Amino acid sequence: METWFYEVVRIDGDYAHLKRTDVVSDELKLVARALLPEEIMEGTKLKYELLQYEII
């Protein structure tokens, strides 16, 4: 299973906009906040592995 790294760019209600930090990309991924750790805020670094997001 692969591992991806993200940064929370913006929180918009029940969704967060994530940007990949392990590859060069301008695309943002829209993720429901229910799938993310409760403690996130803009600028939080995340690791996605085994279908789970974890703060790093």
Side-chain angles (χ1 to χ4, degrees):
M1 187 126 249
E2 291 193 44
T3 301
W4 294 281
F5 294 92
Y6 293 95
E7 179 179 349
V8 178
V9 175
R10 189 171 83 233
I11 296 175
D12 187 17
D14 291 335
Y15 295 91
H17 299 266
L18 308 181
K19 181 176 179 176
R20 291 242 350 230
T21 58
D22 56 328
V23 295
V24 178
S25 175
D26 290 331
E27 291 184 39
L28 297 179
K29 180 177 183 177
L30 187 63
V31 178
R33 288 187 63 192
L35 300 174
L36 302 170
E38 288 183 31
E39 305 85 16
I40 66 159
M41 59 182 69
E42 292 179 2
T44 300
K45 307 278 191 217
L46 299 169
K47 176 174 78 168
Y48 179 75
E49 185 175 51
L50 299 173
L51 304 174
Q52 292 185 328
Y53 291 92
E54 167 185 335
I55 295 175
I56 53 172

